[in-house]
Amino acid sequence: PKGIVRGLYSIWVADNDTLVEIEPETGEVIQEHPIEGAIALNDIATDDFGNLYISDMVGNKIYRFDEQTGSSEVFVDSINMPNGIYYDYLNIALIVVSFDQFGTISAVDLVDGSVTELMQTNLRLLDGIAYDTKRDKFYISTWGDNSVYSLDPTFFDDPVLLQSDISGPADIYYNESDDVLAVPS
């Protein structure tokens, strides 16, 4: 299993080619939802309307899954190695970091699915992305130099190193109430 998110009613986990639905109170698996065509599901983000967006790093796709109907579809069918994704509710978009050699960060418009490159960081192998509302900063993790960086939300300035020497920093999470950035390694 890779990505995990709390949806409207369930906890959702990406597990290779299947989306696993879990009961939040008991931890019991409610149902497994195979995602047709998926190869290596990775991170998950949820929007305000009951949709889940799941990156497929090997398949170079992003899937959209409707929590209420259980239906899935390919939402973006060509994006280079999408890994971490963040739902940007202000711009109605997904911010996606790629596990490529260029440190690509892209925005996916949730209305039409179009992809816009925001920046190339030169950090290689980006994995996770999180947003800090208190500081108005994005955080990204990279396996390229085993570090975590901060970025301004305009994606204009170069990333700023926060922490290095983290073995395989994966998808990250910012807990606003405790002001903690969690970095699994």
Side-chain angles (χ1 to χ4, degrees):
K2 303 272 177 143
I4 185 170
V5 72
R6 172 73 187 255
L8 293 174
Y9 310 106
S10 302
I11 294 172
W12 299 89
V13 176
D15 190 15
N16 289 328
D17 61 356
T18 303
L19 192 57
V20 180
E21 182 177 6
I22 298 172
E23 210 299 311
E25 298 301 320
T26 65
E28 297 294 320
V29 172
I30 297 171
Q31 187 174 355
E32 294 186 5
H33 303 268
I35 305 297
E36 185 178 336
I39 299 171
L41 297 177
N42 197 311
D43 198 13
I44 309 172
T46 182
D47 66 17
D48 296 326
F49 310 103
N51 295 303
L52 304 175
Y53 298 89
I54 312 106
S55 62
D56 184 341
M57 191 172 73
V58 175
N60 297 317
K61 293 177 175 49
I62 295 175
Y63 292 89
R64 178 168 53 194
F65 180 87
D66 185 318
E67 280 190 78
Q68 296 171 351
T69 67
S71 63
S72 64
E73 65 180 340
V74 174
F75 185 64
V76 176
D77 70 358
S78 183
I79 183 169
N80 190 39
M81 302 186 80
N83 196 329
I85 54 179
Y86 172 80
Y87 170 60
D88 179 356
Y89 64 91
L90 293 176
N91 296 305
I92 310 176
L94 297 174
I95 308 299
V96 181
V97 297
S98 293
F99 202 73
D100 62 13
Q101 295 301 314
F102 312 107
T104 307
I105 301 175
S106 304
V108 177
D109 186 299
L110 290 185
V111 176
D112 63 14
S114 61
V115 179
T116 303
E117 184 178 296
L118 298 173
M119 78 180 310
Q120 287 190 350
T121 66
N122 296 319
L123 291 175
R124 300 188 313 109
L125 311 176
L126 301 181
D127 194 308
I129 183 166
Y131 180 69
D132 178 342
T133 54
K134 290 182 178 184
R135 293 169 187 85
D136 192 26
K137 296 274 184 197
F138 278 99
Y139 301 117
I140 56 173
S141 61
T142 171
W143 287 48
D145 65 358
N146 291 309
S147 299
V148 174
Y149 290 82
S150 68
L151 280 167
D152 72 278
T154 65
F155 299 101
F156 182 74
D157 296 328
D158 289 334
V160 175
L161 179 66
L162 287 180
Q163 179 70 45
S164 59
D165 296 322
I166 303 169
S167 178
D171 287 323
I172 55 181
Y173 175 75
Y174 176 69
N175 179 332
E176 184 176 331
S177 62
D178 295 327
D179 198 24
V180 171
L181 181 65
V183 183
S185 67

